[in-house]
Amino acid sequence: MLGSNTLCTKSIAELKNHHFLIPDYQRGYRWEQQDVTNLLDDLWQFSQAQGGQPFYCLQPIVVRRRMPDAQSPAAWEVIDGQQRLTTIHIILTTLGITAPYTIEYQTRPDSAAFLNSMQQDKADTNIDFYHMFEGRRAVAQWRGRHTPQACAAITRMLQGADEPDARIIWYEVDARENAIAVFTRLNMGRIPLTDAELVKALFLRDSNFHNEAGRLEQQRMAQQWDEMERVLQADDFWFFLSNTEQKDNRIALILDLVARQWNNGAASAHDAHFTFLSFAQALERVAEPASGDDPCAPQQTCRREACWQAVRTCFLTMQEWYRDRTIFHLVGFMVAIPPRSKGKPAERKSLVSELWAEYRNCHSRTAFHTLLRDRTGFRLDGTILSIGKNAVAELTYDENHPDVVRVLLFFNIATLLNNTSANTRFQFNHYHQEHWDVEHISAMAEKESERVMQPPAEWLRYACRFLSAAGPGVEKEARDLRAEADTLLVQHEPDPQRLSTLVKAVTALYDEGGYGHDSKHRLGNLTLLDRSTNRSYKDSIFPIKRARILDLDATDTFVPPCTTNVFLKYYSPDTDNMMYWRETDRDDYQQAIIDTITAFLKNGKKDGAKS
């Protein structure tokens, strides 16, 4: 039924002589004074801005046409948006302007009369009147704090006489749709109409297609839309472009990239409905000659098809990026890394948008590879590998945590990309969904209680396992500790004192020793671990962590390849005893990180020279 819906933007003036019915399945008016004040502030600030945007966009109003009857002459049933319609009515009348439309409240017939009269002596007779009167009070207070010119600017915007004006997104559902079902969908859990749904309605509305050939074209677009959404629903595809969980309407990412590419001035990129407004303007422009060589620019001779091809081109390019192993890993890395400073969520969208723009300007795929390598943040100054202003070898957990995350994640990426004969890919979806972060390889805890996994039985099972495989020189002590662990394991609740004593003894047996507290914060003692694993074993000793990681790896649970290698002691030439993480292991591991990333950067220079 989506194609039968009507979607457009309307100024408040265009609502002249409209009569709205607020049906009985909706609650009453509930905006607070601050909500009204915020709207007035936004309108005033917008009227003073120099951005050249043609209008201020209010939230969607969802309506259904209804035939007048003996009980009500209402022509429009408001499914969603009564709060905004009522507030605008209050603002206009308080500022001395007659509202162009009327509102009727099905279960509260007196509310329409009160909305027009605003008699203070009746304001406390019911909750709807109270909120309406408080809204009027908020407008009056705002007017008292501002100049007549400010109030005039507000009335001009709401009367729609000149640009910039205020407009609503007018979403008219088909008269045959179940209004209560639509209302429930929009309001149960407050699920608003998304830009993706609004843009889809723009493309597929029936007024675009006038004959059998048009209906076939409409069906083609609908099928292609569904196919794009299906591909984006694959988590391995989605999470190399985004680090946020989003269950539905993932195609919004593609639409946002195209909207940012056009940058047609329809709205600020910070506008809540930036994407929809960009498409609305692109699809409704007056025909004019196309300009520029960008094949994705909206061609005015056939706006709808050109806009649709822009969406398809962007989507197909993202598929090409996904299939290209180098692009997949480098884009996925840049999307995954934390920002150096606290920023807005939109920054990740901006990153992919920037890369998309740079890709279109690259003369070859190899040139784009080189550009991505240059944007990783790593550089070689002679033999010194740096990230930002810091040498990688000098990074510490407490002082350089964001850069440590970058280094450890890129260590995994470089390890995979340096092996050109393999097809293994980093699983960004698991990395994001399971919240992998930096943790210490050897224990940081000072109290034995902080070293015990929860539940303790799991710690005891792991202890029994590695104590049975104790190396030379500690067999008897390990055998005695194993016996104690077996005894505690069969207890329903292990005796706390005996457990604490056991943990202390096992820790002493496997104490790595030979390094200070500061050394434990160095890169050579850090790796990526997932949140649930780290919480389960807290800050246990190396063999406990090793057993846990190897169990995960054995069950095909995602573990970053370099994390597995660390606990297999892959980077340590001395593997006589796998249950210790000594300072020599740390030094070898840290050097492996530096050598691997250095090799990747040098290979990139060779590839760049060839291109």
Side-chain angles (χ1 to χ4, degrees), residues 408 438-444 512 515 520 522-529 537 539-546 562-563 566-567 569 571 580-582 585-586 589-590 593:
L408 293 177
V438 177
E439 297 297 341
H440 295 81
I441 298 172
S442 63
M444 287 299 299
E512 293 86 353
Y515 44 80
K520 287 188 176 183
R522 308 289 293 199
L523 190 61
N525 192 43
L526 304 172
T527 192
L528 295 175
L529 292 172
Y537 58 48
D539 210 357
S540 295
I541 54 178
F542 178 76
I544 289 284
K545 295 180 179 179
R546 180 178 187 275
C562 296
T563 298
V566 162
F567 289 100
K569 299 188 72 169
Y571 308 107
Y580 292 87
W581 187 251
R582 298 187 173 93
D585 298 314
R586 301 176 187 206
Y589 168 53
Q590 178 164 306
I593 294 174

mmCIF file of all heavy atoms in Angstrom, residues 408 438-444 512 515 520 522-529 537 539-546 562-563 566-567 569 571 580-582 585-586 589-590 593:
data_model
loop_
_atom_site.group_PDB
_atom_site.id
_atom_site.type_symbol
_atom_site.label_atom_id
_atom_site.label_comp_id
_atom_site.label_asym_id
_atom_site.label_seq_id
_atom_site.Cartn_x
_atom_site.Cartn_y
_atom_site.Cartn_z
ATOM 1 N N LEU A 408 46.423 -2.135 18.088
ATOM 2 C CA LEU A 408 46.110 -3.556 18.211
ATOM 3 C C LEU A 408 45.123 -4.010 17.140
ATOM 4 O O LEU A 408 45.248 -5.119 16.602
ATOM 5 C CB LEU A 408 45.560 -3.850 19.605
ATOM 6 C CG LEU A 408 46.554 -3.671 20.751
ATOM 7 C CD1 LEU A 408 45.871 -3.920 22.096
ATOM 8 C CD2 LEU A 408 47.748 -4.614 20.589
ATOM 9 N N VAL A 438 40.775 -3.227 24.654
ATOM 10 C CA VAL A 438 42.129 -3.532 25.123
ATOM 11 C C VAL A 438 42.100 -4.067 26.545
ATOM 12 O O VAL A 438 41.441 -3.491 27.416
ATOM 13 C CB VAL A 438 43.005 -2.269 25.060
ATOM 14 C CG1 VAL A 438 44.396 -2.556 25.616
ATOM 15 C CG2 VAL A 438 43.102 -1.770 23.633
ATOM 16 N N GLU A 439 42.807 -5.161 26.784
ATOM 17 C CA GLU A 439 42.969 -5.703 28.134
ATOM 18 C C GLU A 439 44.408 -6.187 28.310
ATOM 19 O O GLU A 439 45.139 -6.402 27.347
ATOM 20 C CB GLU A 439 41.984 -6.857 28.389
ATOM 21 C CG GLU A 439 40.523 -6.454 28.346
ATOM 22 C CD GLU A 439 40.135 -5.456 29.426
ATOM 23 O OE1 GLU A 439 40.886 -5.338 30.421
ATOM 24 O OE2 GLU A 439 39.105 -4.793 29.268
ATOM 25 N N HIS A 440 44.777 -6.399 29.566
ATOM 26 C CA HIS A 440 46.134 -6.853 29.884
ATOM 27 C C HIS A 440 46.244 -8.365 29.687
ATOM 28 O O HIS A 440 45.320 -9.110 30.001
ATOM 29 C CB HIS A 440 46.487 -6.486 31.322
ATOM 30 C CG HIS A 440 46.553 -5.007 31.557
ATOM 31 N ND1 HIS A 440 45.419 -4.237 31.773
ATOM 32 C CD2 HIS A 440 47.607 -4.153 31.603
ATOM 33 C CE1 HIS A 440 45.782 -2.976 31.940
ATOM 34 N NE2 HIS A 440 47.098 -2.899 31.851
ATOM 35 N N ILE A 441 47.384 -8.776 29.192
ATOM 36 C CA ILE A 441 47.619 -10.210 29.004
ATOM 37 C C ILE A 441 47.928 -10.864 30.340
ATOM 38 O O ILE A 441 47.324 -11.875 30.707
ATOM 39 C CB ILE A 441 48.773 -10.435 28.001
ATOM 40 C CG1 ILE A 441 48.388 -9.863 26.633
ATOM 41 C CG2 ILE A 441 49.117 -11.919 27.893
ATOM 42 C CD1 ILE A 441 49.519 -9.857 25.629
ATOM 43 N N SER A 442 48.863 -10.307 31.078
ATOM 44 C CA SER A 442 49.139 -10.823 32.414
ATOM 45 C C SER A 442 48.387 -9.979 33.428
ATOM 46 O O SER A 442 48.038 -8.827 33.176
ATOM 47 C CB SER A 442 50.643 -10.806 32.720
ATOM 48 O OG SER A 442 51.128 -9.479 32.717
ATOM 49 N N ALA A 443 48.131 -10.540 34.591
ATOM 50 C CA ALA A 443 47.190 -9.966 35.555
ATOM 51 C C ALA A 443 47.640 -8.611 36.066
ATOM 52 O O ALA A 443 48.820 -8.349 36.277
ATOM 53 C CB ALA A 443 47.020 -10.928 36.725
ATOM 54 N N MET A 444 46.629 -7.745 36.305
ATOM 55 C CA MET A 444 46.871 -6.449 36.920
ATOM 56 C C MET A 444 46.358 -6.398 38.352
ATOM 57 O O MET A 444 46.709 -5.524 39.121
ATOM 58 C CB MET A 444 46.177 -5.355 36.109
ATOM 59 C CG MET A 444 46.864 -5.068 34.776
ATOM 60 S SD MET A 444 48.565 -4.493 34.987
ATOM 61 C CE MET A 444 48.299 -3.005 35.933
ATOM 62 N N GLU A 512 54.730 -14.283 36.818
ATOM 63 C CA GLU A 512 55.683 -14.039 35.739
ATOM 64 C C GLU A 512 56.949 -13.367 36.256
ATOM 65 O O GLU A 512 58.042 -13.657 35.814
ATOM 66 C CB GLU A 512 55.025 -13.172 34.652
ATOM 67 C CG GLU A 512 53.895 -13.885 33.925
ATOM 68 C CD GLU A 512 52.563 -13.752 34.642
ATOM 69 O OE1 GLU A 512 52.549 -13.213 35.763
ATOM 70 O OE2 GLU A 512 51.540 -14.188 34.101
ATOM 71 N N TYR A 515 59.347 -7.755 36.350
ATOM 72 C CA TYR A 515 58.971 -6.481 35.731
ATOM 73 C C TYR A 515 58.136 -5.690 36.720
ATOM 74 O O TYR A 515 57.510 -6.236 37.610
ATOM 75 C CB TYR A 515 58.198 -6.697 34.430
ATOM 76 C CG TYR A 515 57.147 -7.763 34.525
ATOM 77 C CD1 TYR A 515 55.907 -7.494 35.108
ATOM 78 C CD2 TYR A 515 57.404 -9.059 34.093
ATOM 79 C CE1 TYR A 515 54.954 -8.489 35.233
ATOM 80 C CE2 TYR A 515 56.451 -10.053 34.213
ATOM 81 C CZ TYR A 515 55.233 -9.776 34.781
ATOM 82 O OH TYR A 515 54.292 -10.752 34.913
ATOM 83 N N LYS A 520 53.640 -3.430 32.947
ATOM 84 C CA LYS A 520 52.408 -4.152 32.611
ATOM 85 C C LYS A 520 51.478 -3.317 31.745
ATOM 86 O O LYS A 520 50.587 -3.857 31.095
ATOM 87 C CB LYS A 520 51.688 -4.568 33.889
ATOM 88 C CG LYS A 520 52.373 -5.708 34.629
ATOM 89 C CD LYS A 520 51.510 -6.214 35.772
ATOM 90 C CE LYS A 520 52.160 -7.427 36.438
ATOM 91 N NZ LYS A 520 51.314 -7.982 37.512
ATOM 92 N N ARG A 522 52.521 -1.488 29.212
ATOM 93 C CA ARG A 522 53.130 -1.284 27.903
ATOM 94 C C ARG A 522 52.424 -2.130 26.849
ATOM 95 O O ARG A 522 51.698 -3.078 27.153
ATOM 96 C CB ARG A 522 54.613 -1.631 27.942
ATOM 97 C CG ARG A 522 55.408 -0.956 29.031
ATOM 98 C CD ARG A 522 55.609 0.504 28.803
ATOM 99 N NE ARG A 522 56.452 0.789 27.654
ATOM 100 C CZ ARG A 522 57.066 1.939 27.444
ATOM 101 N NH1 ARG A 522 56.949 2.918 28.332
ATOM 102 N NH2 ARG A 522 57.784 2.145 26.372
ATOM 103 N N LEU A 523 52.647 -1.772 25.593
ATOM 104 C CA LEU A 523 51.969 -2.429 24.482
ATOM 105 C C LEU A 523 52.198 -3.934 24.470
ATOM 106 O O LEU A 523 51.305 -4.708 24.084
ATOM 107 C CB LEU A 523 52.466 -1.801 23.168
ATOM 108 C CG LEU A 523 51.718 -2.175 21.895
ATOM 109 C CD1 LEU A 523 50.260 -1.746 21.975
ATOM 110 C CD2 LEU A 523 52.397 -1.527 20.682
ATOM 111 N N GLY A 524 53.374 -4.374 24.908
ATOM 112 C CA GLY A 524 53.691 -5.795 24.889
ATOM 113 C C GLY A 524 52.886 -6.634 25.865
ATOM 114 O O GLY A 524 52.970 -7.863 25.843
ATOM 115 N N ASN A 525 52.115 -5.989 26.740
ATOM 116 C CA ASN A 525 51.264 -6.729 27.673
ATOM 117 C C ASN A 525 49.779 -6.475 27.404
ATOM 118 O O ASN A 525 48.937 -6.688 28.267
ATOM 119 C CB ASN A 525 51.602 -6.341 29.120
ATOM 120 C CG ASN A 525 50.958 -7.285 30.133
ATOM 121 O OD1 ASN A 525 50.958 -8.507 29.945
ATOM 122 N ND2 ASN A 525 50.396 -6.725 31.190
ATOM 123 N N LEU A 526 49.464 -6.030 26.194
ATOM 124 C CA LEU A 526 48.083 -5.666 25.868
ATOM 125 C C LEU A 526 47.602 -6.412 24.640
ATOM 126 O O LEU A 526 48.367 -6.650 23.699
ATOM 127 C CB LEU A 526 47.979 -4.153 25.621
ATOM 128 C CG LEU A 526 48.475 -3.249 26.747
ATOM 129 C CD1 LEU A 526 48.494 -1.793 26.307
ATOM 130 C CD2 LEU A 526 47.618 -3.419 28.005
ATOM 131 N N THR A 527 46.329 -6.763 24.635
ATOM 132 C CA THR A 527 45.726 -7.413 23.472
ATOM 133 C C THR A 527 44.236 -7.094 23.457
ATOM 134 O O THR A 527 43.720 -6.450 24.380
ATOM 135 C CB THR A 527 45.960 -8.932 23.495
ATOM 136 O OG1 THR A 527 45.607 -9.496 22.233
ATOM 137 C CG2 THR A 527 45.151 -9.612 24.596
ATOM 138 N N LEU A 528 43.549 -7.540 22.424
ATOM 139 C CA LEU A 528 42.109 -7.324 22.321
ATOM 140 C C LEU A 528 41.364 -8.502 22.937
ATOM 141 O O LEU A 528 41.626 -9.658 22.602
ATOM 142 C CB LEU A 528 41.694 -7.166 20.848
ATOM 143 C CG LEU A 528 42.244 -5.946 20.127
ATOM 144 C CD1 LEU A 528 41.859 -5.990 18.648
ATOM 145 C CD2 LEU A 528 41.718 -4.654 20.752
ATOM 146 N N LEU A 529 40.448 -8.204 23.860
ATOM 147 C CA LEU A 529 39.610 -9.229 24.477
ATOM 148 C C LEU A 529 38.170 -8.744 24.485
ATOM 149 O O LEU A 529 37.913 -7.546 24.578
ATOM 150 C CB LEU A 529 40.072 -9.511 25.911
ATOM 151 C CG LEU A 529 41.437 -10.180 26.063
ATOM 152 C CD1 LEU A 529 41.841 -10.217 27.525
ATOM 153 C CD2 LEU A 529 41.415 -11.594 25.496
ATOM 154 N N TYR A 537 36.541 -13.799 33.579
ATOM 155 C CA TYR A 537 37.727 -14.205 34.332
ATOM 156 C C TYR A 537 38.403 -13.046 35.032
ATOM 157 O O TYR A 537 39.492 -13.196 35.605
ATOM 158 C CB TYR A 537 38.720 -14.961 33.451
ATOM 159 C CG TYR A 537 39.254 -14.271 32.239
ATOM 160 C CD1 TYR A 537 39.746 -12.979 32.285
ATOM 161 C CD2 TYR A 537 39.306 -14.938 31.031
ATOM 162 C CE1 TYR A 537 40.252 -12.358 31.179
ATOM 163 C CE2 TYR A 537 39.817 -14.317 29.902
ATOM 164 C CZ TYR A 537 40.283 -13.041 29.976
ATOM 165 O OH TYR A 537 40.791 -12.426 28.870
ATOM 166 N N ASP A 539 40.644 -10.581 36.240
ATOM 167 C CA ASP A 539 42.053 -10.307 35.954
ATOM 168 C C ASP A 539 42.898 -11.521 36.328
ATOM 169 O O ASP A 539 43.845 -11.437 37.099
ATOM 170 C CB ASP A 539 42.494 -9.070 36.741
ATOM 171 C CG ASP A 539 43.578 -8.309 36.006
ATOM 172 O OD1 ASP A 539 44.007 -8.779 34.948
ATOM 173 O OD2 ASP A 539 43.994 -7.254 36.499
ATOM 174 N N SER A 540 42.539 -12.655 35.769
ATOM 175 C CA SER A 540 43.218 -13.899 36.112
ATOM 176 C C SER A 540 44.623 -13.951 35.524
ATOM 177 O O SER A 540 44.995 -13.154 34.660
ATOM 178 C CB SER A 540 42.412 -15.088 35.601
ATOM 179 O OG SER A 540 41.174 -15.169 36.250
ATOM 180 N N ILE A 541 45.363 -14.924 35.976
ATOM 181 C CA ILE A 541 46.726 -15.119 35.508
ATOM 182 C C ILE A 541 46.729 -15.649 34.077
ATOM 183 O O ILE A 541 45.706 -16.098 33.551
ATOM 184 C CB ILE A 541 47.478 -16.090 36.446
ATOM 185 C CG1 ILE A 541 46.693 -17.396 36.599
ATOM 186 C CG2 ILE A 541 47.748 -15.432 37.783
ATOM 187 C CD1 ILE A 541 47.382 -18.423 37.455
ATOM 188 N N PHE A 542 47.867 -15.607 33.442
ATOM 189 C CA PHE A 542 48.008 -15.938 32.025
ATOM 190 C C PHE A 542 47.421 -17.300 31.656
ATOM 191 O O PHE A 542 46.678 -17.398 30.663
ATOM 192 C CB PHE A 542 49.487 -15.851 31.625
ATOM 193 C CG PHE A 542 49.746 -16.209 30.192
ATOM 194 C CD1 PHE A 542 49.429 -15.307 29.180
ATOM 195 C CD2 PHE A 542 50.292 -17.435 29.857
ATOM 196 C CE1 PHE A 542 49.663 -15.643 27.857
ATOM 197 C CE2 PHE A 542 50.531 -17.775 28.530
ATOM 198 C CZ PHE A 542 50.220 -16.863 27.529
ATOM 199 N N PRO A 543 47.714 -18.390 32.370
ATOM 200 C CA PRO A 543 47.180 -19.688 31.936
ATOM 201 C C PRO A 543 45.661 -19.772 31.957
ATOM 202 O O PRO A 543 45.064 -20.478 31.149
ATOM 203 C CB PRO A 543 47.815 -20.691 32.909
ATOM 204 C CG PRO A 543 48.282 -19.896 34.066
ATOM 205 C CD PRO A 543 48.635 -18.542 33.511
ATOM 206 N N ILE A 544 45.012 -19.040 32.886
ATOM 207 C CA ILE A 544 43.545 -19.012 32.910
ATOM 208 C C ILE A 544 43.030 -18.335 31.650
ATOM 209 O O ILE A 544 42.124 -18.833 30.964
ATOM 210 C CB ILE A 544 43.039 -18.272 34.166
ATOM 211 C CG1 ILE A 544 43.291 -19.112 35.423
ATOM 212 C CG2 ILE A 544 41.562 -17.923 34.026
ATOM 213 C CD1 ILE A 544 42.334 -20.261 35.598
ATOM 214 N N LYS A 545 43.592 -17.189 31.325
ATOM 215 C CA LYS A 545 43.165 -16.473 30.127
ATOM 216 C C LYS A 545 43.464 -17.297 28.874
ATOM 217 O O LYS A 545 42.655 -17.347 27.934
ATOM 218 C CB LYS A 545 43.880 -15.122 30.053
ATOM 219 C CG LYS A 545 43.511 -14.174 31.178
ATOM 220 C CD LYS A 545 44.251 -12.853 31.048
ATOM 221 C CE LYS A 545 43.843 -11.896 32.162
ATOM 222 N NZ LYS A 545 44.535 -10.602 32.101
ATOM 223 N N ARG A 546 44.603 -17.929 28.872
ATOM 224 C CA ARG A 546 44.981 -18.743 27.717
ATOM 225 C C ARG A 546 43.972 -19.865 27.481
ATOM 226 O O ARG A 546 43.517 -20.093 26.354
ATOM 227 C CB ARG A 546 46.377 -19.322 27.944
ATOM 228 C CG ARG A 546 46.890 -20.194 26.803
ATOM 229 C CD ARG A 546 48.309 -20.698 27.087
ATOM 230 N NE ARG A 546 48.851 -21.383 25.943
ATOM 231 C CZ ARG A 546 48.658 -22.669 25.658
ATOM 232 N NH1 ARG A 546 47.919 -23.418 26.499
ATOM 233 N NH2 ARG A 546 49.179 -23.219 24.586
ATOM 234 N N CYS A 562 45.303 -12.178 16.035
ATOM 235 C CA CYS A 562 46.509 -11.887 16.813
ATOM 236 C C CYS A 562 46.303 -12.156 18.295
ATOM 237 O O CYS A 562 47.272 -12.439 19.019
ATOM 238 C CB CYS A 562 46.948 -10.441 16.584
ATOM 239 S SG CYS A 562 47.425 -10.114 14.862
ATOM 240 N N THR A 563 45.071 -12.102 18.781
ATOM 241 C CA THR A 563 44.791 -12.474 20.172
ATOM 242 C C THR A 563 45.014 -13.962 20.366
ATOM 243 O O THR A 563 45.628 -14.397 21.351
ATOM 244 C CB THR A 563 43.343 -12.091 20.545
ATOM 245 O OG1 THR A 563 43.191 -10.674 20.444
ATOM 246 C CG2 THR A 563 43.009 -12.524 21.965
ATOM 247 N N VAL A 566 48.740 -14.592 20.406
ATOM 248 C CA VAL A 566 49.392 -14.207 21.661
ATOM 249 C C VAL A 566 49.333 -15.347 22.658
ATOM 250 O O VAL A 566 50.344 -15.707 23.289
ATOM 251 C CB VAL A 566 48.725 -12.943 22.244
ATOM 252 C CG1 VAL A 566 49.063 -12.780 23.725
ATOM 253 C CG2 VAL A 566 49.171 -11.706 21.486
ATOM 254 N N PHE A 567 48.147 -15.933 22.822
ATOM 255 C CA PHE A 567 47.999 -16.979 23.833
ATOM 256 C C PHE A 567 48.542 -18.327 23.377
ATOM 257 O O PHE A 567 48.695 -19.244 24.183
ATOM 258 C CB PHE A 567 46.534 -17.071 24.267
ATOM 259 C CG PHE A 567 46.112 -15.891 25.097
ATOM 260 C CD1 PHE A 567 45.406 -14.837 24.547
ATOM 261 C CD2 PHE A 567 46.467 -15.811 26.438
ATOM 262 C CE1 PHE A 567 45.049 -13.737 25.310
ATOM 263 C CE2 PHE A 567 46.113 -14.719 27.219
ATOM 264 C CZ PHE A 567 45.404 -13.676 26.652
ATOM 265 N N LYS A 569 51.454 -18.126 22.097
ATOM 266 C CA LYS A 569 52.854 -17.678 22.169
ATOM 267 C C LYS A 569 53.542 -17.779 20.804
ATOM 268 O O LYS A 569 54.705 -18.137 20.686
ATOM 269 C CB LYS A 569 53.616 -18.441 23.260
ATOM 270 C CG LYS A 569 53.013 -18.224 24.652
ATOM 271 C CD LYS A 569 53.869 -18.801 25.759
ATOM 272 C CE LYS A 569 55.117 -17.991 25.976
ATOM 273 N NZ LYS A 569 55.831 -18.370 27.219
ATOM 274 N N TYR A 571 54.433 -15.411 18.916
ATOM 275 C CA TYR A 571 55.453 -14.393 18.700
ATOM 276 C C TYR A 571 56.683 -14.610 19.579
ATOM 277 O O TYR A 571 57.612 -13.800 19.538
ATOM 278 C CB TYR A 571 54.863 -13.002 18.963
ATOM 279 C CG TYR A 571 53.586 -12.762 18.184
ATOM 280 C CD1 TYR A 571 52.348 -12.745 18.822
ATOM 281 C CD2 TYR A 571 53.623 -12.583 16.802
ATOM 282 C CE1 TYR A 571 51.178 -12.549 18.095
ATOM 283 C CE2 TYR A 571 52.457 -12.389 16.077
ATOM 284 C CZ TYR A 571 51.238 -12.381 16.728
ATOM 285 O OH TYR A 571 50.070 -12.191 16.007
ATOM 286 N N TYR A 580 53.444 -19.345 31.034
ATOM 287 C CA TYR A 580 53.999 -18.094 31.570
ATOM 288 C C TYR A 580 54.032 -17.025 30.486
ATOM 289 O O TYR A 580 54.220 -17.332 29.302
ATOM 290 C CB TYR A 580 55.419 -18.320 32.110
ATOM 291 C CG TYR A 580 55.482 -19.187 33.330
ATOM 292 C CD1 TYR A 580 55.564 -20.581 33.213
ATOM 293 C CD2 TYR A 580 55.469 -18.636 34.614
ATOM 294 C CE1 TYR A 580 55.616 -21.399 34.332
ATOM 295 C CE2 TYR A 580 55.530 -19.441 35.733
ATOM 296 C CZ TYR A 580 55.600 -20.818 35.594
ATOM 297 O OH TYR A 580 55.652 -21.615 36.702
ATOM 298 N N TRP A 581 53.855 -15.783 30.899
ATOM 299 C CA TRP A 581 54.014 -14.648 29.996
ATOM 300 C C TRP A 581 55.085 -13.755 30.592
ATOM 301 O O TRP A 581 54.846 -12.895 31.416
ATOM 302 C CB TRP A 581 52.693 -13.896 29.844
ATOM 303 C CG TRP A 581 52.730 -12.801 28.805
ATOM 304 C CD1 TRP A 581 52.702 -11.458 29.032
ATOM 305 C CD2 TRP A 581 52.817 -12.952 27.392
ATOM 306 N NE1 TRP A 581 52.756 -10.764 27.844
ATOM 307 C CE2 TRP A 581 52.818 -11.662 26.810
ATOM 308 C CE3 TRP A 581 52.885 -14.065 26.537
ATOM 309 C CZ2 TRP A 581 52.895 -11.449 25.434
ATOM 310 C CZ3 TRP A 581 52.955 -13.862 25.170
ATOM 311 C CH2 TRP A 581 52.955 -12.560 24.637
ATOM 312 N N ARG A 582 56.320 -14.027 30.182
ATOM 313 C CA ARG A 582 57.476 -13.350 30.765
ATOM 314 C C ARG A 582 57.789 -12.059 30.002
ATOM 315 O O ARG A 582 57.229 -11.785 28.944
ATOM 316 C CB ARG A 582 58.684 -14.281 30.751
ATOM 317 C CG ARG A 582 58.487 -15.548 31.585
ATOM 318 C CD ARG A 582 59.783 -16.345 31.667
ATOM 319 N NE ARG A 582 59.682 -17.464 32.589
ATOM 320 C CZ ARG A 582 59.336 -18.702 32.250
ATOM 321 N NH1 ARG A 582 59.036 -18.958 30.984
ATOM 322 N NH2 ARG A 582 59.262 -19.658 33.145
ATOM 323 N N ASP A 585 58.706 -12.493 26.470
ATOM 324 C CA ASP A 585 57.535 -12.693 25.601
ATOM 325 C C ASP A 585 56.935 -11.346 25.215
ATOM 326 O O ASP A 585 56.527 -11.137 24.074
ATOM 327 C CB ASP A 585 56.482 -13.539 26.314
ATOM 328 C CG ASP A 585 56.993 -14.928 26.663
ATOM 329 O OD1 ASP A 585 57.614 -15.561 25.788
ATOM 330 O OD2 ASP A 585 56.754 -15.369 27.804
ATOM 331 N N ARG A 586 56.880 -10.441 26.174
ATOM 332 C CA ARG A 586 56.328 -9.114 25.908
ATOM 333 C C ARG A 586 57.151 -8.368 24.877
ATOM 334 O O ARG A 586 56.614 -7.745 23.959
ATOM 335 C CB ARG A 586 56.270 -8.295 27.187
ATOM 336 C CG ARG A 586 55.427 -8.928 28.264
ATOM 337 C CD ARG A 586 55.517 -8.091 29.523
ATOM 338 N NE ARG A 586 54.829 -8.806 30.617
ATOM 339 C CZ ARG A 586 54.304 -8.222 31.653
ATOM 340 N NH1 ARG A 586 54.385 -6.917 31.772
ATOM 341 N NH2 ARG A 586 53.707 -8.913 32.594
ATOM 342 N N TYR A 589 56.627 -9.888 21.441
ATOM 343 C CA TYR A 589 55.285 -9.580 20.942
ATOM 344 C C TYR A 589 55.201 -8.120 20.483
ATOM 345 O O TYR A 589 54.681 -7.825 19.396
ATOM 346 C CB TYR A 589 54.280 -9.866 22.055
ATOM 347 C CG TYR A 589 52.884 -9.358 21.841
ATOM 348 C CD1 TYR A 589 52.151 -9.654 20.690
ATOM 349 C CD2 TYR A 589 52.261 -8.577 22.828
ATOM 350 C CE1 TYR A 589 50.861 -9.192 20.526
ATOM 351 C CE2 TYR A 589 50.960 -8.116 22.677
ATOM 352 C CZ TYR A 589 50.266 -8.419 21.521
ATOM 353 O OH TYR A 589 48.985 -7.963 21.361
ATOM 354 N N GLN A 590 55.714 -7.193 21.281
ATOM 355 C CA GLN A 590 55.674 -5.789 20.893
ATOM 356 C C GLN A 590 56.455 -5.555 19.610
ATOM 357 O O GLN A 590 56.008 -4.798 18.735
ATOM 358 C CB GLN A 590 56.240 -4.918 22.018
ATOM 359 C CG GLN A 590 56.271 -3.425 21.672
ATOM 360 C CD GLN A 590 56.449 -2.538 22.891
ATOM 361 O OE1 GLN A 590 55.690 -2.640 23.853
ATOM 362 N NE2 GLN A 590 57.467 -1.680 22.851
ATOM 363 N N ILE A 593 54.397 -6.619 16.637
ATOM 364 C CA ILE A 593 53.390 -5.611 16.271
ATOM 365 C C ILE A 593 54.019 -4.553 15.370
ATOM 366 O O ILE A 593 53.485 -4.211 14.301
ATOM 367 C CB ILE A 593 52.802 -4.959 17.534
ATOM 368 C CG1 ILE A 593 52.002 -5.978 18.345
ATOM 369 C CG2 ILE A 593 51.927 -3.758 17.161
ATOM 370 C CD1 ILE A 593 51.518 -5.445 19.690
#
